[in-house]
Amino acid sequence: MTEDRGAAGPYIEYDGLPVLHGSEVKLPLIHPYAPVEAGRYITPAGGRLTIRKSERNSAHLRITLDHLGCPAQSTPDKDAAFRRLALATEGYCVHAGCRHRPAFSDGVMRCFEVRTGSIPLATFVRAVLAVELGDLTPAGRLVEEAEARFGPVRPAEKLDGEDQAAAGQDR
């Protein structure tokens, strides 16, 4: 079935997931326990997950998760868990001498910058997918690990107002 959503369409239903743009139908589905590599995937909840080297800082990977504003993915609990994931990565960056805010944006497109070699990519992606599916535990675990190694991270509420401005900006 095809849905037309204006200039960006056409969108197509795909395997029971939310509608996808025609160019996204052939993207591979990512499984939480499959090997994780750079690329573009469809997540178990119908999001688009992109993993690539950061354009601004080669020591980081940029991970984006797009749900096209799906209300089920924009709940306060999930937003807070995604913020905590961004803060967990910040602890590793601060310890390594990076001078940027955690790359994170709420809502339609969530962006993360993960320092290569800090949190294993598969572990971080699994935590993102777990939050997407409603399990907030892995996000908390990553924050606890970062705090055990580097001390307290900022409260998640401190990211409010930094969302779009901080996404991907190195300082």
Side-chain angles (χ1 to χ4, degrees), residues 27-28 36-41 49-52 62 64 121:
L27 291 175
V36 179
E37 299 175 352
R40 189 159 161 80
Y41 304 91
L49 181 77
T50 304
I51 304 167
R52 61 184 168 85
R62 184 174 185 85
T64 59
L121 179 60

Side-chain angles (χ1 to χ4, degrees), residues 114-131:
V114 178
R115 185 166 181 82
T116 305
S118 61
I119 299 171
L121 179 60
T123 301
F124 187 82
V125 169
R126 285 181 188 129
V128 168
L129 297 177
V131 171

Side-chain angles (χ1 to χ4, degrees), residues 50-64 100 103 109 111-114 116 167-171:
T50 304
I51 304 167
R52 61 184 168 85
K53 285 223 179 251
S54 173
E55 294 171 5
R56 291 184 169 86
N57 188 332
S58 62
H60 292 77
L61 291 173
R62 184 174 185 85
I63 300 168
T64 59
H100 64 84
M109 173 85 81
C111 301
F112 304 93
E113 296 266 339
V114 178
T116 305
Q169 289 184 0
D170 291 344
R171 296 198 176 236

Side-chain angles (χ1 to χ4, degrees), residues 140-157:
R141 196 173 308 129
L142 286 176
V143 169
E144 289 170 6
E145 289 174 14
E147 287 180 332
R149 291 183 73 182
F150 311 116
V153 298
R154 294 180 295 137
E157 301 81 43

